Amino acid sequence: MEVDPVPNDPEALFSAVDALLEQVADPLPPPAERKRLREAAGLSQEQIATALQTRRESVGNWETGRAEPRPPKRAAYARLLEGLAARFPAPATEPAPETAAGPEAFAGPAPSRKASPQAGPEPPGPAPRAAATTAEGTPQTSAPVTASRSAPAPRSASRRPGVRKAAARKTVAAAAVDPRFAHGPLAVVDADGNRQVVAYCVDGLVLDVPARSLPALVEWTLEDARLGAPKLHGSGKDADPLLVLTEAALERYGLPVTLSEPERLAGRLPDGHKVLQQLERAKWRLTRRGFGPWARIYRPAQGGRRQCVQLCVPSWNALDARSWGHAAELPPAELAHLLGTYARRVMTPRGSTAVTGLELMTALNPPTRASEPDETGRRHKEHRPGSLGEEPMDCAPCEAPDGHPMLADLPRFHQRGPAEMLFEEAYDWARELTDEECMKRFLVGIDVNLAFGAAANGAVVGLATPPVHVTDPAFDPTLPGAWLVDLSHVDLSRVLVGKQWRRLEGKLLPSPFTPTGERPTGPAWYATPTVGYAVELGYDVAPLEAWVRPEKGKFLDGWYKRLRDAYVDTMRDLGVAEKLPPAEFLQAMDGYKQRDPQMAIVLDAIKSTVKGGIGKLRERARGGKPGQPWPALSRPTWRPDIRAVVISRARVNMHRKMISLAAATGQYPVAILSDCAVYAAGGPSPLDVLPYDADGKTVPGSFRLGVSPGMVKHEGTQSVLWGEEVREQYSPHLNLARYIKTGVVTAQDDGE
């Protein structure tokens, strides 16, 4: 039997009054001020969401004005803002007025720059046709599209305040207000149970798609969807819109959810498929690679206007798990946010991360530009200085990989040695521990951040002219090329460190001239940075011959800077800021990927873009007969010489840091794998390997802890006993750097 509440119970009355007060709480500060207060306090959206027992997405919506908190969280949020306002009062300058929500309101926040939401007056766009709905159901004026519906709010990555470059702010702001691309660079197309098709855009907007066939979907994308991205260089091209098709969308448009085994091996749908016939009847074309996981559907440009849409099909393995983790399994709204973040920080994906890395080089450094007007006032296309040009170029014979048409006359099964081919690769070297190192307790691995990206920064490479062959040349460290030279006389036990000769334990160091770390035994081909490093160490060199490229430049600088910013900004979203003291940096790195799994996927994709882009510069043949050309050779970006320069610089940079550390502390690496070095240490932390003084300074020219490319992070720690046991079990030559992160070694890993 229920007991009725006591009439006029004071406690119940006060509770009722409190509930009313919460409903009529004082007005909250404007959305921009809410964000300012949080960032001034150094708080993340995740922290506020945890305190208020809500979702981080809700906090992001409160800060953008898409939604308002409801009781009882409203009162608690108001109290938090009031306390922050007392500690962090607004600056004296008058804030700029907020821009009313309009067609461009969904262009989204600047992905990698904290740009002001006021980007100047918006250019007038086409008249709106329908109303769009935000994630919280608030009506907004939409661009000329069909009716749209509500969607889950996009995830908002937590940020820490930092110093931003004004020029970059202007660039992102300009991109955000371009009315042609008001809904972002891409959309994820899905279909519900009623076969209604919707497109999830990157900022939480969901558009109803009226298209009932794939050709109609392409038409709608180009005419009404307002998807795409502005060009990254004044002489470049705007990015085509990207549509990501879910399994439900594939079924809706008559496409298979998965490819059959023959289709998967061919990488495309077979000719004669009914959807391909639909496209052909509508006068749409496909590129030579056909309709595969990354398909491009286009019509020839008319009046300088491109008509091209790219499709991404995750269920056909378009989003390779090695680069994109479990992105293909995400719900459509979250996948749109993840890919949109990558697109805005790097570029709209054009295929795998490797393909995108290569395309980014051209997008930032286009091969052509518009000429000055001729006598009739017309402009023409001309070569743009500093680029690689439009035409493919033959490499030097020593730069050609096995199977290249240039080597077709070699005897069958002939294996070229160091004196016949350029072999610049990353380190894979290990040695046995000394007795002194065996007395230490730990093996500590340190890993260079974005090592190949840092090596690309400032790299001088050949541009658009073929290599020139010379004999008995004088070595020029500023001239990119390949040099046949004998470096076997370089003795690592006595080298120049800075400007002083130093005695080192040379047998404990790998050779900087071979990826195996073995000392060269005679003449071999090397890229310019490798030969230059021998001179830096204090030794004379006398090349026998060379293939050099007189036209030179820093082609990769812009590419590095964009990827560097993308990497650093994403690390900041994961709670790891720049210029942290060493101990704070190591603490921030502890479990950083668990703070935001989606941003962790973006980070891995950015790193894969760097490595894959460099690797694509020397893409090998996939099948076919040796000596026959393969498709990659027809690209002007097929440049094995540029790849060799970057890898050479990465290996030399690694060796230079190891020598500086050895000269200052007497510590030597026991294993190196690419950009990871393992040291024996008395403690488990990198601080037990790298000496830092009270002012946070370490050995000049050596490894430094930090988030920036070229600096190092903690890769992993295992015991010395573990190292000796796995070597005894598998091989005395086992490279411990390969397993230092997890400590797990299998027979398959060791090639047995």
Side-chain angles (χ1 to χ4, degrees), residues 45 93 359 365 380 619 651:
Q45 291 178 347
T93 55
E359 293 288 339
N365 209 329
H380 305 276
E619 183 176 355
R651 195 180 65 248

Side-chain angles (χ1 to χ4, degrees), residues 145-397:
V145 292
T146 55
S148 61
R149 55 181 64 187
S150 60
R155 296 168 59 89
S156 300
S158 61
R159 292 179 177 269
R160 290 189 179 187
V163 179
R164 324 306 292 155
K165 296 179 181 177
R169 286 199 202 100
K170 293 178 182 177
T171 301
V172 176
V177 300
D178 193 324
R180 299 172 300 159
F181 313 123
H183 296 149
L186 55 88
V188 178
V189 180
D190 191 26
D192 59 22
N194 299 321
R195 294 175 63 82
Q196 175 63 48
V197 182
V198 293
Y200 291 82
C201 301
V202 298
D203 292 307
L205 182 70
V206 180
L207 307 175
D208 280 340
V209 180
R212 298 188 177 183
S213 67
L214 190 62
L217 176 64
V218 175
E219 295 274 6
W220 172 83
T221 303
L222 293 173
E223 296 298 328
D224 291 333
R226 299 179 75 179
L227 295 172
K231 54 192 175 186
L232 299 178
H233 187 280
S235 298
K237 301 173 183 177
D238 294 329
D240 299 318
L242 172 65
L243 298 181
V244 184
L245 303 182
T246 66
E247 294 183 5
L250 292 173
E251 292 179 341
R252 176 66 180 83
Y253 290 120
L255 293 165
V257 172
T258 58
L259 296 177
S260 65
E261 187 64 16
E263 293 168 348
R264 186 186 64 80
L265 293 175
R268 57 196 294 172
L269 291 179
D271 295 337
H273 191 280
K274 63 179 182 179
V275 173
L276 303 188
Q277 294 175 349
Q278 292 175 1
L279 292 170
E280 185 177 0
R281 286 195 297 269
K283 301 188 184 305
W284 287 106
R285 301 182 184 180
L286 293 167
T287 57
R288 285 183 296 178
R289 62 184 175 185
F291 201 119
W294 292 92
R296 298 188 71 79
I297 304 174
Y298 74 98
R299 285 176 181 153
Q302 297 179 354
R305 179 173 177 262
R306 286 172 61 84
Q307 300 183 80
C308 183
V309 173
Q310 179 159 311
L311 303 183
C312 167
V313 188
S315 64
W316 296 2
N317 200 33
L319 301 177
D320 192 327
R322 291 171 296 180
S323 300
W324 292 101
H326 65 280
E329 303 169 7
L330 293 174
E334 295 188 17
L335 180 58
H337 173 68
L338 185 151
L339 292 176
T341 301
Y342 176 89
R344 285 171 166 168
R345 295 184 177 182
V346 180
M347 71 178 298
T348 305
R350 296 286 303 272
S352 66
T353 51
V355 169
T356 303
L358 196 68
E359 293 288 339
L360 182 63
M361 295 179 192
T362 303
L364 292 168
N365 209 329
T368 61
R369 66 181 181 186
S371 67
E372 293 296 326
D374 60 17
E375 59 274 7
T376 64
R378 296 186 61 184
R379 296 179 182 268
H380 305 276
K381 185 170 66 172
E382 67 178 14
H383 171 69
R384 189 177 150 272
S387 72
L388 300 184
E390 284 191 294
E391 299 300 324
M393 183 190 306
D394 285 337
C395 60

